[in-house]
Amino acid sequence: MWPHESLELPTPATALEGRDTPIRISGVHYVNGRTMLPPFPEEYEEIVLGLGCFWGAERLFWEMPGVYVTAVGYAGGQTPNPTYEETCTGRTGHAEVVRVIFDPTEIGLPELLRAFWEAHDPTQGMRQGNDIGTQYRSVIYTTNELQRPLVDKSLQEYDQALQQQGMGNVTTEVAPLDAFYYAEEYHQQYLAKNPAGYCGLKGTGVACPVT
């Protein structure tokens, strides 16, 4: 029996089986009315970010100028089309993430990464504060080759900034996006639907240099 607060990622042999059918959602962003489903405008870019509980993380990005649309979901694991309950067991390997579709002529990836770094503590491994488990780990999943150098640069710069303040090393997982699975409808734009809902975002107080 796997613990609810698992701190180890499953292997393909131990991961939950999942399903072939995606979770059905309306596809309409509750805040701006745009579609959360591809295809997106060709000139826009996509980055997938995980910084703990995805409720507050999504609000952070949908409020940023230049962000076209956001959606929450699961990525980085083994189980196809997982449910929220399955993800919380630790047996899918997925992190809670936000898909961010943005207009690069209005906001650059470095600015999105600065918001990402400053909104959470990327040194905590498989947790964010009191939220403990592999699903809460810090992750960045890139969607094209040009994004990786920018991500690596920002990680190195923020890691140095944290160390100068006597904090630990960045543990953020960085990888190309394999698959993004939409979370259930009630999770989408959760804090717009439930303004008094839980938001676990808490940064370190260390500013992220953007160069």
Side-chain angles (χ1 to χ4, degrees), residues 1 16 19 58 60 80 116-117 122 130 169 173 181 189:
M1 183 71 179
L16 295 176
R19 56 200 51 79
E58 185 185 19
L60 171 71
F116 166 82
W117 294 122
N130 293 328
N169 292 106
E173 173 189 340
Y181 300 105
Q189 299 83 61

Side-chain angles (χ1 to χ4, degrees), residues 113-201:
L113 292 171
R114 177 172 59 186
F116 166 82
W117 294 122
E118 293 183 352
H120 76 302
D121 183 347
T123 70
Q124 293 193 325
M126 301 298 183
R127 66 182 297 166
Q128 274 299 299
N130 293 328
D131 293 330
I132 301 172
T134 56
Q135 71 270 30
Y136 299 117
R137 69 189 187 275
S138 176
V139 301
I140 301 173
Y141 297 129
T142 58
T143 61
N144 65 59
E145 293 180 356
L146 297 178
Q147 291 178 344
R148 184 60 187 254
L150 296 174
V151 171
D152 288 344
K153 184 173 185 291
S154 73
L155 187 154
Q156 293 167 6
E157 291 178 344
Y158 198 55
D159 186 66
Q160 291 175 1
L162 290 170
Q163 291 185 52
Q164 289 171 1
Q165 298 299 317
M167 302 189 67
N169 292 106
V170 168
T171 61
T172 303
E173 173 189 340
V174 179
L177 179 67
D178 180 38
F180 172 85
Y181 300 105
Y182 287 93
E184 294 82 347
E185 185 76 27
Y186 73 94
H187 289 300
Q188 305 295 337
Q189 299 83 61
Y190 181 88
L191 290 181
K193 302 169 185 174
N194 303 276
Y198 169 75
C199 176
L201 290 186

Side-chain angles (χ1 to χ4, degrees), residues 57-126:
E58 185 185 19
R59 180 174 63 183
L60 171 71
F61 293 107
W62 87 53
E63 291 181 342
M64 296 183 70
V67 171
Y68 177 75
V69 77
T70 58
V72 294
Y74 316 108
Q78 308 281 347
T79 303
N81 300 299
T83 65
Y84 178 71
E85 289 73 18
E86 288 171 341
T87 301
C88 286
T89 68
R91 291 188 61 193
T92 69
H94 290 298
E96 293 189 16
V97 296
V98 183
R99 174 183 242 174
V100 181
I101 308 299
F102 63 99
D103 182 348
T105 67
E106 292 189 33
I107 188 169
L109 182 57
E111 286 73 31
L112 291 170
L113 292 171
R114 177 172 59 186
F116 166 82
W117 294 122
E118 293 183 352
H120 76 302
D121 183 347
T123 70
Q124 293 193 325
M126 301 298 183

